[in-house]
Amino acid sequence: MFDHTASNTRSGPFGARNGKRAPGTRMYGRLPGGLPFLSLGAGEPLVFLPGIGAHNEGPVGMERWAQALMLEPYAHSRRVWWVNRRPGLAPDATIADLAGELAGALRRQFGRPVDVLGMSTGGSVALQLAVDHPDVVKRLIIVSAAYRLGERGRNAQRRVAQEVQAERPRRAGAAAFAMLGAGPASRRLLGVLGWLLGRSMYGKATPDMIATIRAEDQLDLRDRLHEISAPTLVIGGERDAFYSEHLFTQTAALIPNSQLLLYEGQSHMGTSTSRDLVSDVLGFLDAQDIAPGAAPGRSIRVSRRRDRATD
């Protein structure tokens, strides 16, 4: 799913409104294997895998500022590593290929298992990473993703790819943005916004975006989720048009040691911008730190969070 960056301006100890910049030196560059990254904060590493963008290059200018602002709340207690896919993907690349490249980069960069948060398409890559390369994943957080796309999500991403290839970026923007809303009214409004922004967002989309859409279209990890050994938190919106409540619930139920948080009334975009997201992610990681020796086992906790939904 598409990476429409939004900042989380939650106040409090993890928010950015207290006027304090996260500690540590900010770094930008490429990990081993050519994967673009930006890093900020201090503490244990938290690898952040974003959704699909128009390209696989590292963010620059306003895009870099927006990504850093989104990561800032996590960076007051973690060293956050935003890691994109490698530029120049093969047209027939699979999610397993992307996860394999990421695993190699993380092994060389850290030399030990690290916490991984995957959002949207980044969540698809994170699930594949945990299945195929358990040695690099310490704890796993999946936000707005599941073991496969829902049919509406697949159809929408196929249409975006078709419109980009036909050099109709405004139509691509409308198709992508319309899927981000929680109901018919918000989807119509977001579709109009996507049309207006489409040329600037998708007018220079690279073949990497098309390759990633095709790779995610083929993904179905349902029969392999039982292989995930890392403690896992799945967070999904009850009204996510790319997936469904059922897919989020199934994903969590099939992972041996997992928890599920469903955000009541929330869309795909609403989940990633929820005022609860940062505290839920950090709360999960902190709880695991307190009890690192907890015995593995199926531990599904479904919690419905009420937030301000958009319709």
Side-chain angles (χ1 to χ4, degrees):
M1 287 61 59
F2 300 90
D3 184 15
H4 304 295
T5 302
S7 63
N8 187 318
T9 56
R10 177 187 176 94
S11 60
F14 303 118
R17 285 185 175 174
N18 57 15
K20 294 181 180 179
R21 184 170 175 171
T25 302
R26 298 195 179 196
M27 299 187 299
Y28 313 91
R30 293 181 185 261
L31 293 182
L35 280 67
F37 80 89
L38 70 85
S39 179
L40 64 154
E44 284 296 299
L46 173 62
V47 174
F48 184 101
L49 308 179
I52 296 175
H55 57 79
N56 282 5
E57 298 293 341
V60 297
M62 287 299 295
E63 184 183 358
R64 176 184 291 180
W65 174 85
Q67 292 286 3
L69 190 61
M70 178 181 64
L71 301 176
E72 186 86 20
Y74 303 96
H76 287 278
S77 60
R78 308 278 163 170
R79 180 74 188 184
V80 186
W81 296 76
W82 179 99
V83 182
N84 205 353
R85 274 70 66 183
R86 174 181 57 81
L89 297 178
D92 59 350
T94 65
I95 295 295
D97 294 332
L98 305 186
E101 292 184 349
L102 176 62
L106 297 184
R107 288 189 189 103
R108 292 177 63 185
Q109 181 68 29
F110 300 107
R112 60 186 174 92
V114 293
D115 296 328
V116 177
L117 188 161
M119 185 173 288
S120 195
T121 296
S124 297
V125 177
L127 283 169
Q128 186 82 62
L129 181 74
V131 167
D132 289 346
H133 309 278
D135 62 294
V136 302
V137 182
K138 182 180 179 183
R139 281 89 59 99
L140 180 67
I141 303 104
I142 303 298
V143 180
S144 298
Y147 65 82
R148 68 167 175 84
L149 280 165
E151 287 307 310
R152 289 176 64 196
R154 279 178 170 159
N155 291 337
Q157 292 200 166
R158 289 170 183 169
R159 183 181 173 191
V160 171
Q162 290 167 359
E163 300 293 0
V164 167
Q165 290 177 307
E167 298 183 353
R168 295 190 290 257
R170 290 192 184 275
R171 293 187 183 184
F177 273 62
M179 292 292 288
L180 301 177
S186 61
R187 288 170 191 158
R188 284 193 295 271
L189 288 173
L190 285 166
V192 172
L193 179 61
W195 174 273
L196 294 173
L197 297 177
R199 188 176 300 278
S200 62
M201 293 193 69
Y202 299 109
K204 296 182 180 180
T206 70
D208 287 330
M209 189 186 81
I210 306 301
T212 306
I213 289 174
R214 289 173 175 166
E216 191 169 31
D217 186 78
Q218 301 170 29
L219 180 72
D220 190 338
L221 289 170
R222 187 183 190 282
D223 293 337
R224 297 195 62 196
L225 292 179
H226 68 277
E227 300 175 34
I228 296 178
S229 57
T232 302
L233 175 64
V234 178
I235 301 176
E238 188 182 39
R239 301 175 71 181
D240 190 317
F242 282 101
Y243 293 100
S244 65
E245 179 179 338
H246 177 67
L247 280 172
F248 293 134
T249 302
Q250 271 198 321
T251 299
L254 292 169
I255 297 173
N257 186 16
S258 66
Q259 300 176 32
L260 171 64
L261 292 176
L262 284 172
Y263 288 175
E264 185 175 359
Q266 287 293 10
S267 64
H268 191 77
M269 182 174 67
T271 299
S272 64
T273 59
S274 169
R275 59 189 179 185
D276 290 317
L277 182 61
V278 172
S279 59
D280 283 338
V281 168
L282 293 175
F284 169 75
L285 294 175
D286 291 344
Q288 292 289 328
D289 284 337
I290 293 170
R298 207 166 295 277
S299 176
I300 307 302
R301 178 172 61 90
V302 180
S303 176
R304 296 185 181 274
R305 300 284 200 206
R306 179 175 291 277
D307 204 330
R308 291 170 291 184
T310 304
D311 185 57

